[in-house]
Amino acid sequence: MSKMFAEIRRIVDEDISIRVSQYDVIFEALTNAIHANATSIECSLDTHDNLIADGERTFAKKRVDSIIISDNGDGLNDRNYDSFCKYRSDHKKELGCKGVGRFVFLKVYDYALYNSTLVHEQEVRSFKFDFDFDVDNIKKEKSEISTNQTTLTLTHLSKNYYNPDRHTDRRIELDLTNIRDRALINLIPTLYFYKKKGTEIVINFKDTTTGDVLSITPQDVPDFQIENFDIESRYGEKFKFTLSYYIENSRGGLHAFYCANNRTVCTFSEKEMKIALPIGYKGFLLLESRYLDDRVNNERNDFTLFPVRTDMFNTLSWELINEELKTVISKLLKSDIPNTEELNKAKIKQISEERPYLTDYIEQNDVDIAGFIDKAQLIEKAKKRFDTAKENVLTNAGKQKYTDQELREAIDLAQNELVSYINDRVQIIERLKSMVDKKERVEEIIHNLFMQKHTDDDYFHVGKNNLWLLDDRFTTYSYAASDKRIKDVLSAIGEDSEGVGVPNDKPDLSIFFSHNPDKPERLKSVLVEIKPFDYQSKSDRKKYAGIQQLIDYVKAFKRKENIEELYAFLMTDIDAKLAERLTDNDFNTLFSLEHPIFHKYFKELGITIYVISATTLIKDAEARNKVFLDTIKKQSRIHNLLKKSDTEEKET
C-alpha cells in the first residue's frame, strides 16, 4: 500500500485557504484541462434542491451541488498520473502549475472521482482522490478507445461547506450566465496565451436541471495589445512588467486584473486601484510579471505583497506598482479614448470645488488619469499627503534654520489649512441655509449651530464654534457665553450681579472683547438674541419680543463699569409682517445684498439694536468665503495646470 508522499489532510487544512469556493474549484478544474491540452471542455452543474415551482417561476434560487468536468485532453497517462501523486510536482511548472491545485477540491468536496480514457494506452483508468488517497489504488481496464476523454466528478460537499443541520450553506447559485462570465474573466490570460499559439479552446457550461448550455469560444477572447515597462524598487532593482490591454468603443465596462502564471488573481480595485472606463467603452487590463508569479498564493486568489511596506523579500509594494501602472495606463487611454483630457479636467475641477485645500496634494500621475479613477480614492490619497505635509511641518518646528523647501512647504500648508477651514465654513453655511429654507422651528438646533448652549469660552480656535457666521470679527473674543445666566456671565468677566434686574435671564450669546492693552479690563460687548425662523402663529409678534429681551439684557450689562460699549443684534428670518412691525416702531433700514438690515437707536440706552435676516447673514458669509476661496484657487497648482491645458487646446 503506497500512500501519497504527503499528509493530504494537513495540506488541505494549512495550505488551502478557507476562502475557496466552488468558483475556485471550477476555475482550477478548467485550467487543469487546458494545461492537459484539451480543446473541448464541458462543465456540467447540478443541484439536489427541490424547488417549489409555480409555472415557470420558482420560489428559491438553485444552488450548485455537483460539478462534472469532461475534456479531450491528454488524460491521466503515466507521466501525468505520476505528477498528480507528487506534492508540488515540477511537471508543467513552466505553465505556472504549483502542484497543489487539486487540493482545492478537497476543501469543498469530500472526494473527487477521476475517469480517463486513453487512446495511446487503449485503457480506461479511474481512481478516487480523498484524504486517504492511495497512489496504487488506480484501476486500469483494457478497452477499445477511439478518443481521449477525462472526467472529474465532484458530488459530495464537505460539511464545512454545506451542512443543513448547522445551517451552513456556502454553495454558489446555479446561475449559468454568471458562472460562465466569471470563468471567462478568470481564464482570459490563459485562453489568450493558447490563442496566440494557435490553439482554439471551446468550453461549454451546462445546467443539467434545464439542459441550458452557454459557451466560451475563441471569439470571446480579444486580441490584446502589449505594453512592457520596468518598475524600480526603493533599493534600485528593476523588474519587468507587461500590461496586456484591450479597449473598444462599445458598452461593457472595464475588467482589470493582476495576473500570475497566465491566470487572473485579483482585481485592481482589491489593491486600491479603482479605475473605470467612461460609459460607451469596454476593455480588459491584465498586469503580469515574473515578480507577481513568484508571489502568488497557492489558491491563486491573492499575493504576498504589502500595501505600502517593503522588505528584503518583497522589495515592491502595491503602492509602488500602482504608481507606475497609472503612468502607463494614462498614456494608453489618451491614445484610445479621445476625450481623456476633458474627463481628467472635469474630475479635478469637481475635487477643486468640493475640497479646494486638497488640490495641491493631488499627484501629477493622478491628474493624468483622474477621469478614470474613483473620486473618493483621489481625495483619500490627497488627504494622506496633506496630513503627511502637516506632520513634516510640525516635526521641523523649532529649528534654528530652515531650508527654502521647508519654508515653502510650511507656507503652502498654512495656506491650505486656511482653505480647509474656509471650506468647512461653507458646509456650515449650507446647513444654516437648509434650516432657513425649511423654516426650522427648533430654536435649540439653530442656537447650537452658532455656539453650543450652556457653554462658555475664553479662547477661540477653529472648530470650537461658528460665531464667524455673525461676523468674522466676533472670533477675536476674550470671553463668550452661550445660554448662560447673566449673573454667571458677569462673574466670569470679574463683575458682580448686584442691582441687576434679571440675573437669571439667559442671553443666547454674550460676547466680550478687550483690545486695549493699556486698559485690558475695559470691555466691549455684543449681545445676540436668536429667534426661530418660523412660528405656527403670530410669528412677527413673537420675533419682535426679542427686542424687549435685548433691552433687558442691555440694561443689566450697561450698569457695569467695566463694560464701555454694547452692541445688540436680533437674528431671525424677516418676513413681510415682521418688516412692517419694525418699520411701524421706527426701525430704519441699511442696504444689504439680500434683505435690508433694520436698526434703531435707543437714545435712553445709548445703543443701537440691529435686526438681521438669517438670509442676509448667509449671503454675507457666503460672499466673504467666496472672495477668499476664489483668490486661493487661482493661485493653486491645479488651477494653473488646468489653465495651461485650456490655453494649449485653444492654440491647437
Side-chain angles (χ1 to χ4, degrees):
M1 182 175 178
S2 302
K3 289 288 185 74
M4 189 176 187
F5 297 118
E7 192 65 44
I8 297 177
R9 187 175 296 277
R10 184 174 177 183
I11 294 170
V12 173
D13 288 344
E14 297 180 5
D15 289 2
I16 307 301
S17 169
I18 60 173
R19 293 172 54 199
V20 300
S21 69
Q22 287 168 304
Y23 286 118
D24 297 291
V25 168
I26 293 170
F27 302 157
E28 186 63 38
L30 294 176
T31 302
N32 289 345
I34 294 171
H35 286 166
N37 299 311
T39 56
S40 177
I41 307 169
E42 182 169 291
C43 175
S44 299
L45 306 166
D46 199 0
T47 183
H48 300 155
D49 293 340
N50 293 317
L51 303 178
I52 301 173
D54 178 15
E56 295 181 355
R57 296 172 58 200
T58 57
F59 295 97
K61 294 179 180 179
K62 294 186 296 184
R63 298 192 178 276
V64 173
D65 282 288
S66 65
I67 300 171
I68 300 174
I69 295 182
S70 300
D71 69 79
N72 66 346
D74 297 337
L76 290 163
N77 55 35
D78 291 342
R79 187 180 181 191
N80 286 343
Y81 185 68
D82 181 61
S83 172
F84 185 96
C85 295
K86 290 180 181 178
Y87 178 53
R88 292 192 176 276
S89 167
D90 287 339
H91 186 43
K92 298 183 181 178
K93 187 176 181 180
E94 72 280 1
L95 297 175
C97 300
K98 289 194 165 192
V100 298
R102 59 201 175 282
F103 297 104
V104 170
F105 305 153
L106 299 186
K107 199 74 173 184
V108 179
Y109 288 89
D110 289 335
Y111 58 83
L113 298 178
Y114 284 87
N115 183 278
S116 189
T117 62
L118 304 171
V119 172
H120 183 267
E121 291 80 359
Q122 288 295 292
E123 283 184 348
V124 177
R125 297 182 177 181
S126 60
F127 65 91
K128 181 180 182 180
F129 179 55
D130 59 11
F131 290 116
D132 298 317
F133 175 59
D134 186 334
V135 300
D136 292 335
N137 193 21
I138 182 172
K139 294 179 181 179
K140 299 180 180 181
E141 297 179 3
K142 287 294 181 180
S143 181
E144 292 185 8
I145 307 298
S146 59
T147 58
N148 279 5
Q149 181 170 320
T150 299
T151 302
L152 166 65
T153 302
L154 300 158
T155 55
H156 286 69
L157 289 158
S158 71
K159 289 190 176 181
N160 288 331
Y161 198 81
Y162 177 57
N163 187 344
D165 294 336
R166 295 190 175 183
H167 306 289
T168 300
D169 189 355
R170 296 177 57 204
R171 295 175 301 164
I172 64 175
E173 184 182 349
L174 208 171
D175 181 336
L176 212 58
T177 300
N178 186 48
I179 292 172
R180 179 262 182 199
D181 291 348
R182 290 186 64 159
L184 174 61
I185 294 300
N186 184 270
L187 295 171
I188 276 285
T190 303
L191 295 172
Y192 175 60
F193 174 75
Y194 278 85
K195 186 177 180 180
K196 284 195 298 183
K197 295 195 303 181
T199 302
E200 295 193 342
I201 299 170
V202 175
I203 306 173
N204 295 315
F205 296 85
K206 183 177 181 180
D207 181 345
T208 59
T209 66
T210 62
D212 293 339
V213 176
L214 293 177
S215 301
I216 294 174
T217 69
Q219 288 68 44
D220 295 312
V221 182
D223 293 319
F224 287 88
Q225 293 179 275
I226 301 298
E227 185 73 22
N228 295 307
F229 61 99
D230 293 335
I231 298 180
E232 185 173 339
S233 75
R234 292 189 174 100
Y235 306 99
E237 306 165 280
K238 287 188 177 181
F239 300 95
K240 294 187 178 299
F241 282 75
T242 297
L243 181 67
S244 301
Y245 65 98
Y246 172 79
I247 298 173
E248 70 172 45
N249 192 357
S250 63
R251 298 178 71 89
L254 178 67
H255 303 286
F257 295 91
Y258 303 102
C259 305
N261 309 123
N262 296 306
R263 296 171 65 174
T264 61
V265 176
C266 60
T267 64
F268 280 13
S269 61
E270 290 178 78
K271 302 303 176 186
E272 301 304 318
M273 180 73 166
K274 297 177 182 177
I275 185 170
L277 294 179
I279 295 174
Y281 285 87
K282 74 174 182 180
F284 287 91
L285 296 175
L286 307 174
L287 184 68
E288 300 176 88
S289 171
R290 179 64 62 84
Y291 187 89
L292 296 178
D293 293 347
D294 294 339
R295 289 162 177 81
V296 68
N297 65 4
N298 291 331
E299 302 80 33
R300 293 186 179 86
N301 56 20
D302 205 353
F303 295 92
T304 60
L305 301 179
F306 301 113
V308 178
R309 183 165 63 90
T310 58
D311 58 25
M312 62 185 298
F313 300 106
N314 293 318
T315 54
L316 292 180
S317 63
W318 287 117
E319 182 181 61
L320 287 170
I321 292 172
N322 288 340
E323 287 307 302
E324 189 62 36
L325 180 59
K326 278 188 285 190
T327 301
V328 174
I329 293 175
S330 68
K331 294 177 182 177
L332 304 179
L333 294 175
K334 286 177 182 177
S335 63
D336 288 356
I337 301 178
N339 62 335
T340 293
E341 290 289 349
E342 288 77 8
L343 293 170
N344 291 344
K345 286 167 57 179
K347 183 67 68 65
I348 293 300
K349 284 182 178 178
Q350 283 181 23
I351 297 174
S352 178
E353 292 298 323
E354 294 176 16
R355 310 285 181 96
Y357 58 96
L358 292 179
T359 52
D360 282 341
Y361 296 91
I362 301 175
E363 293 183 338
Q364 183 60 51
N365 59 355
D366 285 332
V367 173
D368 293 337
I369 198 174
F372 307 91
I373 295 181
D374 179 65
K375 184 172 71 174
Q377 184 179 352
L378 285 170
I379 289 174
E380 183 60 30
K381 186 177 176 184
K383 282 176 63 179
K384 288 180 180 178
R385 293 192 72 211
F386 184 39
D387 291 339
T388 299
K390 286 195 284 187
E391 192 63 35
N392 290 339
V393 170
L394 289 173
T395 301
N396 291 327
K399 290 176 63 174
Q400 294 295 321
K401 189 175 182 180
Y402 295 92
T403 64
D404 290 343
Q405 178 65 22
E406 288 171 341
L407 285 173
R408 182 69 256 171
E409 287 178 356
I411 292 170
D412 289 343
L413 178 64
Q415 174 178 285
N416 284 296
E417 283 272 42
L418 197 51
V419 175
S420 174
Y421 167 55
I422 296 296
N423 193 66
D424 289 341
R425 287 173 35 154
V426 172
Q427 309 305 315
I428 299 298
I429 291 171
E430 288 300 318
R431 187 178 175 195
L432 180 59
K433 188 186 298 185
S434 176
M435 290 179 181
V436 173
D437 292 341
K438 294 177 181 178
K439 296 191 178 297
E440 180 64 67
R441 288 191 291 269
V442 182
E443 184 177 356
E444 184 174 6
I445 297 175
I446 304 167
H447 189 134
N448 287 337
L449 187 65
F450 288 88
M451 185 174 177
Q452 195 71 27
K453 293 181 75 172
H454 316 304
T455 65
D456 61 353
D457 184 57
D458 59 3
Y459 175 73
F460 173 79
H461 68 75
V462 173
K464 183 176 286 188
N465 58 54
N466 296 305
L467 293 177
W468 54 267
L469 280 166
L470 300 167
D471 195 304
D472 280 301
R473 292 172 296 176
F474 290 179
T475 59
T476 62
Y477 59 78
S478 55
Y479 176 73
S482 173
D483 199 46
K484 301 281 282 186
R485 292 185 303 178
I486 288 177
K487 67 178 183 179
D488 294 330
V489 172
L490 290 172
S491 176
I493 63 172
E495 288 278 5
D496 58 50
S497 55
E498 185 178 351
V500 174
V502 286
N504 292 315
D505 275 16
K506 299 178 180 179
D508 284 338
L509 297 171
S510 307
I511 311 170
F512 297 86
F513 306 86
S514 175
H515 297 299
N516 188 342
D518 297 326
K519 297 180 179 180
E521 72 283 359
R522 310 304 287 177
L523 300 173
K524 296 180 180 181
S525 179
V526 172
L527 300 175
V528 181
E529 187 65 20
I530 304 168
K531 285 299 180 185
F533 303 150
D534 191 25
Y535 284 100
Q536 291 182 341
S537 64
K538 302 179 181 178
S539 63
D540 58 310
R541 290 177 59 187
K542 292 183 178 181
K543 290 176 183 178
Y544 191 82
I547 301 292
Q548 186 56 53
Q549 287 178 269
L550 283 171
I551 290 173
D552 291 342
Y553 302 154
V554 167
K555 288 180 177 178
F557 287 114
K558 192 76 172 173
R559 292 189 175 94
K560 299 304 166 183
E561 183 180 352
N562 284 353
I563 302 175
E564 287 189 324
E565 299 178 43
L566 271 168
Y567 302 87
F569 295 84
L570 174 64
M571 199 280 285
T572 187
D573 187 39
I574 303 177
D575 56 16
K577 287 186 177 181
L578 179 59
E580 182 181 355
R581 184 176 290 275
L582 290 168
T583 302
D584 290 345
N585 283 274
D586 300 324
F587 274 80
N588 299 309
T589 59
L590 296 174
F591 171 78
S592 69
L593 294 176
E594 185 68 22
H595 295 289
I597 297 173
F598 289 83
H599 70 100
K600 178 180 179 180
Y601 179 68
F602 290 80
K603 187 175 181 180
E604 67 280 7
L605 295 174
I607 188 174
T608 299
I609 293 180
Y610 297 88
V611 183
I612 302 177
S613 166
T615 307
T616 297
L617 202 70
I618 291 168
K619 291 293 183 182
D620 187 42
E622 280 184 323
R624 298 196 308 268
N625 272 15
K626 187 176 185 302
V627 170
F628 184 85
L629 283 175
D630 287 348
T631 302
I632 293 296
K633 286 177 185 177
K634 290 177 182 178
Q635 297 174 358
S636 73
R637 176 179 61 88
I638 295 297
H639 173 80
N640 292 330
L641 283 172
L642 295 174
K643 185 177 180 181
K644 179 181 177 182
S645 176
D646 289 337
T647 303
E648 290 173 349
E649 285 182 10
K650 290 178 181 178
E651 291 176 351
T652 56

